[in-house]
Amino acid sequence: MRDTLRLLMMSVNLSGYGASNGFLGFFEKDTRYEPGMEESAVDFFMRYFRNDLEYFVIASSVHANSDEVGHYGDATDDQRDGDLIKGLVQSGLIREFSYKKRFGRVPSSQKYSESVEKEWGDITLIKGDDFSIRCIRSLLVAKMVVHGLYGHCFIMSPDWQLAFYPHDDFGFGVIGLGDDANVQVAHDFLAQANQLSGMHSIIRIPSTS
């Protein structure tokens, strides 16, 4: 597990995933948002890898800022967000705390910025089979839509040396980890995603330099 985390940290540019050397592409919505797009994207991911999920590892620093969750301003979205976060916190998959209480009330201060950056960078590994499929699905959906949810979230295959990540344009990106990443698996996944209604994929060929 320690080697897997080290490989992730060496391979992924946390400041911009697309700038990672092994960035292999992503899929996202290409039409106006419709309710349920996030669930459709996550369900596609879960179906596509249904025979492999037990071997995947979650690398996460995801946490919820209680000052923001449930305060977006739309009653339906706030109810959904609150329910998702409550379930994830109860399962132990994420943490929830107040940014104001932990980091202070001056977001523009250097100390605040450094503390937040440290929290985001505190990535730990979780075995996929330690949690139910339902919990993992909720985490991926939440990462796409919940207001006030922060941190990094990668679903990694150590065997294929690939890291998949959910993003807020309702899809997934893929990054190859090291020189032995299974590029074909990543590209096949993105090619299939490109067939989904309302979605399109961008596929990148990794640099050979």
Side-chain angles (χ1 to χ4, degrees):
M1 292 276 279
R2 188 177 301 169
D3 290 342
T4 300
L5 181 57
R6 186 181 300 116
L7 183 60
L8 176 76
M9 299 304 286
M10 288 173 55
S11 303
V12 176
N13 183 337
L14 296 179
S15 298
Y17 303 155
S20 303
N21 288 337
F23 180 65
L24 298 172
F26 62 94
F27 77 88
E28 64 181 1
K29 68 177 177 64
D30 67 354
T31 59
R32 183 177 179 179
Y33 172 75
E34 297 289 343
M37 277 186 165
E38 58 276 14
E39 284 95 346
S40 295
V42 171
D43 288 341
F44 165 72
F45 177 86
M46 304 293 274
R47 284 195 312 271
Y48 192 89
F49 293 114
R50 61 186 177 277
N51 296 324
D52 306 290
L53 286 174
E54 64 181 298
Y55 307 111
F56 281 26
V57 174
I58 302 168
S60 173
S61 63
V62 174
H63 55 277
N65 177 7
S66 57
D67 304 326
E68 295 182 51
V69 173
H71 300 288
Y72 179 69
D74 180 274
T76 301
D77 287 350
D78 284 342
Q79 181 68 50
R80 174 205 63 201
D81 290 359
D83 290 344
L84 279 169
I85 295 304
K86 181 179 179 180
L88 289 168
V89 170
Q90 287 178 344
S91 74
L93 199 47
I94 71 167
R95 297 165 295 125
E96 183 177 19
F97 56 87
S98 164
Y99 267 35
K100 290 177 182 177
K101 289 181 180 179
R102 180 166 295 194
F103 306 136
R105 295 178 175 271
V106 187
S108 60
S109 72
Q110 183 176 347
K111 182 178 178 181
Y112 184 100
S113 299
E114 289 173 351
S115 298
V116 170
E117 186 175 340
K118 184 176 183 297
E119 197 72 43
W120 279 51
D122 187 19
I123 297 174
T124 58
L125 293 188
I126 305 164
K127 291 181 180 178
D129 57 3
D130 283 350
F131 293 89
S132 69
I133 292 295
R134 182 178 180 180
C135 280
I136 295 173
R137 180 185 184 274
S138 292
L139 173 64
L140 299 177
V141 169
K143 194 66 179 73
M144 292 184 185
V145 298
V146 170
H147 174 69
L149 192 68
Y150 298 105
H152 301 286
C153 179
F154 301 97
I155 310 296
M156 301 168 58
S157 168
D159 290 341
W160 294 327
Q161 293 196 10
L162 296 173
F164 302 86
Y165 61 88
H167 60 77
D168 57 10
D169 276 322
F170 313 109
F172 286 83
V174 195
I175 300 169
L177 306 176
D179 297 330
D180 297 321
N182 194 323
V183 175
Q184 193 60 54
V185 168
H187 285 177
D188 288 348
F189 166 71
L190 293 172
Q192 285 293 313
N194 196 52
Q195 304 303 312
L196 296 172
S197 176
M199 299 287 179
H200 78 282
S201 295
I202 302 295
I203 296 176
R204 297 284 172 83
I205 306 299
S207 172
T208 55
S209 59

